[in-house]
PDB file of all heavy atoms in Angstrom:
ATOM      1  N   THR M1590      10.092 -29.818   7.989  1.00 96.00           N
ATOM      2  CA  THR M1590      11.420 -29.288   8.312  1.00 96.00           C
ATOM      3  C   THR M1590      12.027 -30.128   9.425  1.00 96.00           C
ATOM      4  O   THR M1590      11.432 -30.277  10.497  1.00 96.00           O
ATOM      5  CB  THR M1590      11.346 -27.817   8.763  1.00 96.00           C
ATOM      6  OG1 THR M1590      10.375 -27.688   9.802  1.00 96.00           O
ATOM      7  CG2 THR M1590      10.979 -26.911   7.599  1.00 96.00           C
ATOM      8  N   ASP M1591      13.193 -30.672   9.168  1.00 96.00           N
ATOM      9  CA  ASP M1591      13.914 -31.487  10.147  1.00 96.00           C
ATOM     10  C   ASP M1591      15.167 -30.708  10.546  1.00 96.00           C
ATOM     11  O   ASP M1591      16.164 -30.691   9.825  1.00 96.00           O
ATOM     12  CB  ASP M1591      14.283 -32.833   9.525  1.00 96.00           C
ATOM     13  CG  ASP M1591      14.981 -33.751  10.517  1.00 96.00           C
ATOM     14  OD1 ASP M1591      14.995 -33.426  11.719  1.00 96.00           O
ATOM     15  OD2 ASP M1591      15.528 -34.781  10.082  1.00 96.00           O
ATOM     16  N   VAL M1592      15.101 -30.022  11.696  1.00 96.00           N
ATOM     17  CA  VAL M1592      16.178 -29.120  12.120  1.00 96.00           C
ATOM     18  C   VAL M1592      17.112 -29.856  13.080  1.00 96.00           C
ATOM     19  O   VAL M1592      16.675 -30.370  14.115  1.00 96.00           O
ATOM     20  CB  VAL M1592      15.605 -27.863  12.802  1.00 96.00           C
ATOM     21  CG1 VAL M1592      16.741 -26.919  13.198  1.00 96.00           C
ATOM     22  CG2 VAL M1592      14.622 -27.156  11.877  1.00 96.00           C
ATOM     23  N   ARG M1593      18.385 -29.872  12.734  1.00 94.00           N
ATOM     24  CA  ARG M1593      19.397 -30.500  13.589  1.00 94.00           C
ATOM     25  C   ARG M1593      20.571 -29.545  13.756  1.00 94.00           C
ATOM     26  O   ARG M1593      20.924 -28.820  12.834  1.00 94.00           O
ATOM     27  CB  ARG M1593      19.867 -31.815  12.977  1.00 94.00           C
ATOM     28  CG  ARG M1593      18.727 -32.818  12.755  1.00 94.00           C
ATOM     29  CD  ARG M1593      19.218 -34.137  12.230  1.00 94.00           C
ATOM     30  NE  ARG M1593      18.116 -35.048  11.948  1.00 94.00           N
ATOM     31  CZ  ARG M1593      18.272 -36.307  11.559  1.00 94.00           C
ATOM     32  NH1 ARG M1593      19.499 -36.801  11.396  1.00 94.00           N
ATOM     33  NH2 ARG M1593      17.213 -37.066  11.324  1.00 94.00           N
ATOM     34  N   GLU M1594      21.158 -29.586  14.944  1.00 91.00           N
ATOM     35  CA  GLU M1594      22.278 -28.699  15.246  1.00 91.00           C
ATOM     36  C   GLU M1594      23.579 -29.488  15.238  1.00 91.00           C
ATOM     37  O   GLU M1594      23.715 -30.506  15.913  1.00 91.00           O
ATOM     38  CB  GLU M1594      22.076 -28.037  16.611  1.00 91.00           C
ATOM     39  CG  GLU M1594      23.113 -26.967  16.921  1.00 91.00           C
ATOM     40  CD  GLU M1594      22.775 -26.182  18.170  1.00 91.00           C
ATOM     41  OE1 GLU M1594      21.573 -26.142  18.529  1.00 91.00           O
ATOM     42  OE2 GLU M1594      23.696 -25.610  18.784  1.00 91.00           O
ATOM     43  N   LYS M1595      24.550 -29.015  14.471  1.00 86.00           N
ATOM     44  CA  LYS M1595      25.850 -29.670  14.387  1.00 86.00           C
ATOM     45  C   LYS M1595      26.689 -29.340  15.616  1.00 86.00           C
ATOM     46  O   LYS M1595      26.326 -28.503  16.441  1.00 86.00           O
ATOM     47  CB  LYS M1595      26.571 -29.230  13.111  1.00 86.00           C
ATOM     48  CG  LYS M1595      25.837 -29.598  11.821  1.00 86.00           C
ATOM     49  CD  LYS M1595      26.620 -29.142  10.599  1.00 86.00           C
ATOM     50  CE  LYS M1595      25.895 -29.503   9.308  1.00 86.00           C
ATOM     51  NZ  LYS M1595      26.641 -29.046   8.102  1.00 86.00           N
ATOM     52  N   ASP M1596      27.835 -29.999  15.731  1.00 83.00           N
ATOM     53  CA  ASP M1596      28.710 -29.794  16.889  1.00 83.00           C
ATOM     54  C   ASP M1596      29.185 -28.353  17.009  1.00 83.00           C
ATOM     55  O   ASP M1596      29.429 -27.860  18.112  1.00 83.00           O
ATOM     56  CB  ASP M1596      29.924 -30.731  16.795  1.00 83.00           C
ATOM     57  CG  ASP M1596      29.526 -32.196  16.913  1.00 83.00           C
ATOM     58  OD1 ASP M1596      28.443 -32.459  17.476  1.00 83.00           O
ATOM     59  OD2 ASP M1596      30.286 -33.054  16.431  1.00 83.00           O
ATOM     60  N   ASP M1597      29.326 -27.673  15.870  1.00 84.00           N
ATOM     61  CA  ASP M1597      29.799 -26.285  15.899  1.00 84.00           C
ATOM     62  C   ASP M1597      28.669 -25.286  16.109  1.00 84.00           C
ATOM     63  O   ASP M1597      28.878 -24.072  16.049  1.00 84.00           O
ATOM     64  CB  ASP M1597      30.549 -25.948  14.609  1.00 84.00           C
ATOM     65  CG  ASP M1597      29.716 -26.218  13.358  1.00 84.00           C
ATOM     66  OD1 ASP M1597      28.515 -26.543  13.504  1.00 84.00           O
ATOM     67  OD2 ASP M1597      30.260 -26.114  12.244  1.00 84.00           O
ATOM     68  N   GLY M1598      27.447 -25.789  16.356  1.00 84.00           N
ATOM     69  CA  GLY M1598      26.318 -24.915  16.621  1.00 84.00           C
ATOM     70  C   GLY M1598      25.558 -24.472  15.390  1.00 84.00           C
ATOM     71  O   GLY M1598      24.520 -23.814  15.499  1.00 84.00           O
ATOM     72  N   ILE M1599      26.050 -24.820  14.208  1.00 90.00           N
ATOM     73  CA  ILE M1599      25.380 -24.437  12.968  1.00 90.00           C
ATOM     74  C   ILE M1599      24.180 -25.349  12.730  1.00 90.00           C
ATOM     75  O   ILE M1599      24.265 -26.570  12.894  1.00 90.00           O
ATOM     76  CB  ILE M1599      26.354 -24.512  11.775  1.00 90.00           C
ATOM     77  CG1 ILE M1599      27.491 -23.505  11.970  1.00 90.00           C
ATOM     78  CG2 ILE M1599      25.626 -24.236  10.463  1.00 90.00           C
ATOM     79  CD1 ILE M1599      28.541 -23.553  10.883  1.00 90.00           C
ATOM     80  N   LEU M1600      23.064 -24.769  12.342  1.00 95.00           N
ATOM     81  CA  LEU M1600      21.847 -25.539  12.101  1.00 95.00           C
ATOM     82  C   LEU M1600      21.866 -26.158  10.708  1.00 95.00           C
ATOM     83  O   LEU M1600      22.300 -25.536   9.739  1.00 95.00           O
ATOM     84  CB  LEU M1600      20.615 -24.644  12.245  1.00 95.00           C
ATOM     85  CG  LEU M1600      20.354 -24.021  13.621  1.00 95.00           C
ATOM     86  CD1 LEU M1600      19.095 -23.158  13.571  1.00 95.00           C
ATOM     87  CD2 LEU M1600      20.221 -25.101  14.684  1.00 95.00           C
ATOM     88  N   TYR M1601      21.373 -27.391  10.635  1.00 94.00           N
ATOM     89  CA  TYR M1601      21.162 -28.067   9.356  1.00 94.00           C
ATOM     90  C   TYR M1601      19.672 -28.334   9.230  1.00 94.00           C
ATOM     91  O   TYR M1601      19.031 -28.806  10.176  1.00 94.00           O
ATOM     92  CB  TYR M1601      21.943 -29.375   9.290  1.00 94.00           C
ATOM     93  CG  TYR M1601      21.529 -30.251   8.130  1.00 94.00           C
ATOM     94  CD1 TYR M1601      22.014 -30.018   6.846  1.00 94.00           C
ATOM     95  CD2 TYR M1601      20.624 -31.299   8.315  1.00 94.00           C
ATOM     96  CE1 TYR M1601      21.623 -30.806   5.776  1.00 94.00           C
ATOM     97  CE2 TYR M1601      20.228 -32.092   7.253  1.00 94.00           C
ATOM     98  CZ  TYR M1601      20.732 -31.842   5.985  1.00 94.00           C
ATOM     99  OH  TYR M1601      20.329 -32.623   4.932  1.00 94.00           O
ATOM    100  N   VAL M1602      19.094 -28.037   8.070  1.00 96.00           N
ATOM    101  CA  VAL M1602      17.656 -28.197   7.867  1.00 96.00           C
ATOM    102  C   VAL M1602      17.407 -29.208   6.755  1.00 96.00           C
ATOM    103  O   VAL M1602      17.812 -29.010   5.605  1.00 96.00           O
ATOM    104  CB  VAL M1602      16.983 -26.854   7.516  1.00 96.00           C
ATOM    105  CG1 VAL M1602      15.487 -27.053   7.288  1.00 96.00           C
ATOM    106  CG2 VAL M1602      17.208 -25.845   8.638  1.00 96.00           C
ATOM    107  N   GLY M1603      16.750 -30.304   7.121  1.00 96.00           N
ATOM    108  CA  GLY M1603      16.341 -31.305   6.150  1.00 96.00           C
ATOM    109  C   GLY M1603      14.829 -31.303   6.020  1.00 96.00           C
ATOM    110  O   GLY M1603      14.171 -30.287   6.242  1.00 96.00           O
ATOM    111  N   GLY M1604      14.259 -32.442   5.681  1.00 96.00           N
ATOM    112  CA  GLY M1604      12.828 -32.512   5.467  1.00 96.00           C
ATOM    113  C   GLY M1604      12.446 -32.010   4.081  1.00 96.00           C
ATOM    114  O   GLY M1604      13.296 -31.633   3.268  1.00 96.00           O
ATOM    115  N   TYR M1605      11.144 -31.996   3.807  1.00 95.00           N
ATOM    116  CA  TYR M1605      10.656 -31.631   2.473  1.00 95.00           C
ATOM    117  C   TYR M1605      11.063 -30.209   2.090  1.00 95.00           C
ATOM    118  O   TYR M1605      11.658 -29.979   1.033  1.00 95.00           O
ATOM    119  CB  TYR M1605       9.133 -31.774   2.434  1.00 95.00           C
ATOM    120  CG  TYR M1605       8.507 -31.300   1.146  1.00 95.00           C
ATOM    121  CD1 TYR M1605       8.667 -32.014  -0.035  1.00 95.00           C
ATOM    122  CD2 TYR M1605       7.759 -30.125   1.113  1.00 95.00           C
ATOM    123  CE1 TYR M1605       8.100 -31.574  -1.221  1.00 95.00           C
ATOM    124  CE2 TYR M1605       7.182 -29.680  -0.062  1.00 95.00           C
ATOM    125  CZ  TYR M1605       7.357 -30.404  -1.228  1.00 95.00           C
ATOM    126  OH  TYR M1605       6.793 -29.957  -2.393  1.00 95.00           O
ATOM    127  N   PHE M1606      10.763 -29.231   2.957  1.00 96.00           N
ATOM    128  CA  PHE M1606      11.107 -27.850   2.638  1.00 96.00           C
ATOM    129  C   PHE M1606      12.618 -27.630   2.646  1.00 96.00           C
ATOM    130  O   PHE M1606      13.141 -26.824   1.877  1.00 96.00           O
ATOM    131  CB  PHE M1606      10.436 -26.887   3.617  1.00 96.00           C
ATOM    132  CG  PHE M1606       8.952 -26.756   3.409  1.00 96.00           C
ATOM    133  CD1 PHE M1606       8.085 -26.783   4.485  1.00 96.00           C
ATOM    134  CD2 PHE M1606       8.420 -26.609   2.138  1.00 96.00           C
ATOM    135  CE1 PHE M1606       6.713 -26.669   4.300  1.00 96.00           C
ATOM    136  CE2 PHE M1606       7.057 -26.491   1.938  1.00 96.00           C
ATOM    137  CZ  PHE M1606       6.193 -26.524   3.026  1.00 96.00           C
ATOM    138  N   GLY M1607      13.328 -28.344   3.525  1.00 96.00           N
ATOM    139  CA  GLY M1607      14.782 -28.235   3.542  1.00 96.00           C
ATOM    140  C   GLY M1607      15.395 -28.713   2.238  1.00 96.00           C
ATOM    141  O   GLY M1607      16.359 -28.123   1.732  1.00 96.00           O
ATOM    142  N   LEU M1608      14.818 -29.798   1.666  1.00 96.00           N
ATOM    143  CA  LEU M1608      15.304 -30.315   0.393  1.00 96.00           C
ATOM    144  C   LEU M1608      15.046 -29.321  -0.735  1.00 96.00           C
ATOM    145  O   LEU M1608      15.934 -29.044  -1.553  1.00 96.00           O
ATOM    146  CB  LEU M1608      14.624 -31.650   0.083  1.00 96.00           C
ATOM    147  CG  LEU M1608      14.938 -32.280  -1.282  1.00 96.00           C
ATOM    148  CD1 LEU M1608      16.426 -32.578  -1.403  1.00 96.00           C
ATOM    149  CD2 LEU M1608      14.111 -33.548  -1.491  1.00 96.00           C
ATOM    150  N   VAL M1609      13.832 -28.765  -0.769  1.00 95.00           N
ATOM    151  CA  VAL M1609      13.500 -27.777  -1.805  1.00 95.00           C
ATOM    152  C   VAL M1609      14.414 -26.562  -1.695  1.00 95.00           C
ATOM    153  O   VAL M1609      14.936 -26.058  -2.699  1.00 95.00           O
ATOM    154  CB  VAL M1609      12.021 -27.349  -1.693  1.00 95.00           C
ATOM    155  CG1 VAL M1609      11.724 -26.190  -2.640  1.00 95.00           C
ATOM    156  CG2 VAL M1609      11.100 -28.526  -1.995  1.00 95.00           C
ATOM    157  N   TRP M1610      14.637 -26.094  -0.460  1.00 97.00           N
ATOM    158  CA  TRP M1610      15.490 -24.918  -0.258  1.00 97.00           C
ATOM    159  C   TRP M1610      16.930 -25.212  -0.689  1.00 97.00           C
ATOM    160  O   TRP M1610      17.597 -24.357  -1.284  1.00 97.00           O
ATOM    161  CB  TRP M1610      15.445 -24.494   1.203  1.00 97.00           C
ATOM    162  CG  TRP M1610      16.092 -23.168   1.460  1.00 97.00           C
ATOM    163  CD1 TRP M1610      17.319 -22.943   2.016  1.00 97.00           C
ATOM    164  CD2 TRP M1610      15.552 -21.881   1.167  1.00 97.00           C
ATOM    165  NE1 TRP M1610      17.585 -21.595   2.097  1.00 97.00           N
ATOM    166  CE2 TRP M1610      16.508 -20.915   1.581  1.00 97.00           C
ATOM    167  CE3 TRP M1610      14.352 -21.442   0.610  1.00 97.00           C
ATOM    168  CZ2 TRP M1610      16.302 -19.551   1.442  1.00 97.00           C
ATOM    169  CZ3 TRP M1610      14.142 -20.073   0.472  1.00 97.00           C
ATOM    170  CH2 TRP M1610      15.110 -19.145   0.883  1.00 97.00           C
ATOM    171  N   GLY M1611      17.408 -26.416  -0.403  1.00 97.00           N
ATOM    172  CA  GLY M1611      18.757 -26.787  -0.811  1.00 97.00           C
ATOM    173  C   GLY M1611      18.922 -26.793  -2.323  1.00 97.00           C
ATOM    174  O   GLY M1611      19.973 -26.401  -2.850  1.00 97.00           O
ATOM    175  N   LEU M1612      17.890 -27.237  -3.038  1.00 96.00           N
ATOM    176  CA  LEU M1612      17.936 -27.212  -4.498  1.00 96.00           C
ATOM    177  C   LEU M1612      18.002 -25.775  -5.018  1.00 96.00           C
ATOM    178  O   LEU M1612      18.715 -25.482  -5.987  1.00 96.00           O
ATOM    179  CB  LEU M1612      16.709 -27.927  -5.074  1.00 96.00           C
ATOM    180  CG  LEU M1612      16.630 -29.441  -4.842  1.00 96.00           C
ATOM    181  CD1 LEU M1612      15.285 -29.981  -5.309  1.00 96.00           C
ATOM    182  CD2 LEU M1612      17.768 -30.152  -5.563  1.00 96.00           C
ATOM    183  N   LEU M1613      17.259 -24.872  -4.355  1.00 95.00           N
ATOM    184  CA  LEU M1613      17.303 -23.463  -4.752  1.00 95.00           C
ATOM    185  C   LEU M1613      18.691 -22.870  -4.503  1.00 95.00           C
ATOM    186  O   LEU M1613      19.190 -22.078  -5.309  1.00 95.00           O
ATOM    187  CB  LEU M1613      16.246 -22.664  -3.986  1.00 95.00           C
ATOM    188  CG  LEU M1613      14.786 -22.896  -4.387  1.00 95.00           C
ATOM    189  CD1 LEU M1613      13.854 -22.157  -3.437  1.00 95.00           C
ATOM    190  CD2 LEU M1613      14.542 -22.443  -5.822  1.00 95.00           C
ATOM    191  N   GLU M1614      19.316 -23.238  -3.381  1.00 96.00           N
ATOM    192  CA  GLU M1614      20.667 -22.747  -3.088  1.00 96.00           C
ATOM    193  C   GLU M1614      21.628 -23.087  -4.226  1.00 96.00           C
ATOM    194  O   GLU M1614      22.428 -22.252  -4.661  1.00 96.00           O
ATOM    195  CB  GLU M1614      21.183 -23.367  -1.788  1.00 96.00           C
ATOM    196  CG  GLU M1614      20.599 -22.780  -0.528  1.00 96.00           C
ATOM    197  CD  GLU M1614      21.228 -23.394   0.713  1.00 96.00           C
ATOM    198  OE1 GLU M1614      21.500 -24.616   0.699  1.00 96.00           O
ATOM    199  OE2 GLU M1614      21.448 -22.671   1.694  1.00 96.00           O
ATOM    200  N   THR M1615      21.541 -24.327  -4.697  1.00 96.00           N
ATOM    201  CA  THR M1615      22.433 -24.769  -5.771  1.00 96.00           C
ATOM    202  C   THR M1615      22.079 -24.107  -7.095  1.00 96.00           C
ATOM    203  O   THR M1615      22.966 -23.691  -7.854  1.00 96.00           O
ATOM    204  CB  THR M1615      22.353 -26.301  -5.923  1.00 96.00           C
ATOM    205  OG1 THR M1615      22.694 -26.916  -4.675  1.00 96.00           O
ATOM    206  CG2 THR M1615      23.293 -26.787  -7.011  1.00 96.00           C
ATOM    207  N   ARG M1616      20.783 -23.999  -7.359  1.00 93.00           N
ATOM    208  CA  ARG M1616      20.323 -23.509  -8.660  1.00 93.00           C
ATOM    209  C   ARG M1616      20.641 -22.030  -8.872  1.00 93.00           C
ATOM    210  O   ARG M1616      21.092 -21.632  -9.954  1.00 93.00           O
ATOM    211  CB  ARG M1616      18.814 -23.743  -8.784  1.00 93.00           C
ATOM    212  CG  ARG M1616      18.212 -23.356 -10.126  1.00 93.00           C
ATOM    213  CD  ARG M1616      18.653 -24.294 -11.229  1.00 93.00           C
ATOM    214  NE  ARG M1616      18.022 -23.972 -12.489  1.00 93.00           N
ATOM    215  CZ  ARG M1616      16.866 -24.488 -12.910  1.00 93.00           C
ATOM    216  NH1 ARG M1616      16.218 -25.359 -12.151  1.00 93.00           N
ATOM    217  NH2 ARG M1616      16.360 -24.154 -14.076  1.00 93.00           N
ATOM    218  N   ILE M1617      20.406 -21.197  -7.860  1.00 92.00           N
ATOM    219  CA  ILE M1617      20.590 -19.757  -8.070  1.00 92.00           C
ATOM    220  C   ILE M1617      21.730 -19.182  -7.229  1.00 92.00           C
ATOM    221  O   ILE M1617      21.862 -17.969  -7.112  1.00 92.00           O
ATOM    222  CB  ILE M1617      19.279 -18.978  -7.825  1.00 92.00           C
ATOM    223  CG1 ILE M1617      18.747 -19.209  -6.415  1.00 92.00           C
ATOM    224  CG2 ILE M1617      18.239 -19.355  -8.848  1.00 92.00           C
ATOM    225  CD1 ILE M1617      17.452 -18.447  -6.130  1.00 92.00           C
ATOM    226  N   ASN M1618      22.559 -20.063  -6.646  1.00 95.00           N
ATOM    227  CA  ASN M1618      23.841 -19.675  -6.051  1.00 95.00           C
ATOM    228  C   ASN M1618      23.702 -18.725  -4.865  1.00 95.00           C
ATOM    229  O   ASN M1618      24.000 -17.534  -4.952  1.00 95.00           O
ATOM    230  CB  ASN M1618      24.749 -19.052  -7.123  1.00 95.00           C
ATOM    231  CG  ASN M1618      26.153 -18.780  -6.589  1.00 95.00           C
ATOM    232  OD1 ASN M1618      26.566 -19.348  -5.585  1.00 95.00           O
ATOM    233  ND2 ASN M1618      26.873 -17.904  -7.274  1.00 95.00           N
ATOM    234  N   PHE M1619      23.232 -19.261  -3.726  1.00 95.00           N
ATOM    235  CA  PHE M1619      23.232 -18.493  -2.486  1.00 95.00           C
ATOM    236  C   PHE M1619      23.470 -19.439  -1.317  1.00 95.00           C
ATOM    237  O   PHE M1619      23.412 -20.665  -1.465  1.00 95.00           O
ATOM    238  CB  PHE M1619      21.916 -17.727  -2.302  1.00 95.00           C
ATOM    239  CG  PHE M1619      20.703 -18.595  -2.059  1.00 95.00           C
ATOM    240  CD1 PHE M1619      20.314 -18.939  -0.766  1.00 95.00           C
ATOM    241  CD2 PHE M1619      19.937 -19.054  -3.118  1.00 95.00           C
ATOM    242  CE1 PHE M1619      19.193 -19.731  -0.534  1.00 95.00           C
ATOM    243  CE2 PHE M1619      18.815 -19.843  -2.903  1.00 95.00           C
ATOM    244  CZ  PHE M1619      18.445 -20.190  -1.606  1.00 95.00           C
ATOM    245  N   THR M1620      23.781 -18.887  -0.158  1.00 96.00           N
ATOM    246  CA  THR M1620      23.955 -19.670   1.056  1.00 96.00           C
ATOM    247  C   THR M1620      22.923 -19.223   2.087  1.00 96.00           C
ATOM    248  O   THR M1620      22.278 -18.180   1.924  1.00 96.00           O
ATOM    249  CB  THR M1620      25.368 -19.492   1.636  1.00 96.00           C
ATOM    250  OG1 THR M1620      25.571 -18.103   1.953  1.00 96.00           O
ATOM    251  CG2 THR M1620      26.423 -19.941   0.630  1.00 96.00           C
ATOM    252  N   THR M1621      22.773 -20.002   3.164  1.00 97.00           N
ATOM    253  CA  THR M1621      21.740 -19.708   4.156  1.00 97.00           C
ATOM    254  C   THR M1621      22.305 -19.769   5.567  1.00 97.00           C
ATOM    255  O   THR M1621      23.051 -20.690   5.904  1.00 97.00           O
ATOM    256  CB  THR M1621      20.575 -20.709   4.048  1.00 97.00           C
ATOM    257  OG1 THR M1621      20.096 -20.747   2.704  1.00 97.00           O
ATOM    258  CG2 THR M1621      19.433 -20.310   4.974  1.00 97.00           C
ATOM    259  N   THR M1622      21.955 -18.789   6.377  1.00 96.00           N
ATOM    260  CA  THR M1622      22.209 -18.825   7.815  1.00 96.00           C
ATOM    261  C   THR M1622      20.871 -19.043   8.504  1.00 96.00           C
ATOM    262  O   THR M1622      19.980 -18.191   8.433  1.00 96.00           O
ATOM    263  CB  THR M1622      22.844 -17.508   8.305  1.00 96.00           C
ATOM    264  OG1 THR M1622      24.108 -17.321   7.662  1.00 96.00           O
ATOM    265  CG2 THR M1622      23.050 -17.547   9.814  1.00 96.00           C
ATOM    266  N   TRP M1623      20.721 -20.209   9.158  1.00 97.00           N
ATOM    267  CA  TRP M1623      19.444 -20.577   9.770  1.00 97.00           C
ATOM    268  C   TRP M1623      19.355 -20.047  11.199  1.00 97.00           C
ATOM    269  O   TRP M1623      20.327 -20.072  11.945  1.00 97.00           O
ATOM    270  CB  TRP M1623      19.278 -22.096   9.787  1.00 97.00           C
ATOM    271  CG  TRP M1623      19.215 -22.710   8.425  1.00 97.00           C
ATOM    272  CD1 TRP M1623      20.228 -23.335   7.758  1.00 97.00           C
ATOM    273  CD2 TRP M1623      18.078 -22.760   7.569  1.00 97.00           C
ATOM    274  NE1 TRP M1623      19.794 -23.772   6.533  1.00 97.00           N
ATOM    275  CE2 TRP M1623      18.469 -23.432   6.385  1.00 97.00           C
ATOM    276  CE3 TRP M1623      16.762 -22.303   7.675  1.00 97.00           C
ATOM    277  CZ2 TRP M1623      17.606 -23.660   5.330  1.00 97.00           C
ATOM    278  CZ3 TRP M1623      15.891 -22.526   6.624  1.00 97.00           C
ATOM    279  CH2 TRP M1623      16.314 -23.198   5.470  1.00 97.00           C
ATOM    280  N   ARG M1624      18.163 -19.586  11.566  1.00 96.00           N
ATOM    281  CA  ARG M1624      17.922 -19.101  12.920  1.00 96.00           C
ATOM    282  C   ARG M1624      16.568 -19.614  13.415  1.00 96.00           C
ATOM    283  O   ARG M1624      15.603 -19.659  12.648  1.00 96.00           O
ATOM    284  CB  ARG M1624      17.940 -17.569  12.967  1.00 96.00           C
ATOM    285  CG  ARG M1624      19.278 -16.963  12.539  1.00 96.00           C
ATOM    286  CD  ARG M1624      19.252 -15.454  12.612  1.00 96.00           C
ATOM    287  NE  ARG M1624      20.527 -14.876  12.206  1.00 96.00           N
ATOM    288  CZ  ARG M1624      20.791 -13.576  12.160  1.00 96.00           C
ATOM    289  NH1 ARG M1624      19.847 -12.711  12.513  1.00 96.00           N
ATOM    290  NH2 ARG M1624      21.965 -13.137  11.778  1.00 96.00           N
ATOM    291  N   LYS M1625      16.519 -19.979  14.697  1.00 96.00           N
ATOM    292  CA  LYS M1625      15.263 -20.429  15.296  1.00 96.00           C
ATOM    293  C   LYS M1625      14.669 -19.313  16.153  1.00 96.00           C
ATOM    294  O   LYS M1625      15.405 -18.623  16.861  1.00 96.00           O
ATOM    295  CB  LYS M1625      15.498 -21.676  16.153  1.00 96.00           C
ATOM    296  CG  LYS M1625      15.913 -22.902  15.360  1.00 96.00           C
ATOM    297  CD  LYS M1625      15.919 -24.160  16.220  1.00 96.00           C
ATOM    298  CE  LYS M1625      16.994 -24.112  17.280  1.00 96.00           C
ATOM    299  NZ  LYS M1625      17.076 -25.404  18.030  1.00 96.00           N
ATOM    300  N   PRO M1626      13.352 -19.122  16.100  1.00 96.00           N
ATOM    301  CA  PRO M1626      12.731 -18.113  16.972  1.00 96.00           C
ATOM    302  C   PRO M1626      12.869 -18.524  18.431  1.00 96.00           C
ATOM    303  O   PRO M1626      12.783 -19.710  18.765  1.00 96.00           O
ATOM    304  CB  PRO M1626      11.271 -18.106  16.519  1.00 96.00           C
ATOM    305  CG  PRO M1626      11.054 -19.450  15.905  1.00 96.00           C
ATOM    306  CD  PRO M1626      12.358 -19.838  15.282  1.00 96.00           C
TER     307      PRO M1626
END
Side-chain angles (χ1 to χ4, degrees):
T1590 52
D1591 183 11
V1592 182
R1593 302 183 183 185
E1594 187 171 336
K1595 298 181 180 179
D1596 294 338
D1597 55 7
I1599 297 177
L1600 297 180
Y1601 167 81
V1602 179
Y1605 175 71
F1606 288 135
L1608 175 61
V1609 172
W1610 190 257
L1612 293 173
L1613 288 174
E1614 284 183 322
T1615 302
R1616 184 70 177 269
I1617 58 180
N1618 187 19
F1619 68 91
T1620 60
T1621 307
T1622 298
W1623 296 100
R1624 299 180 180 179
K1625 294 189 293 186

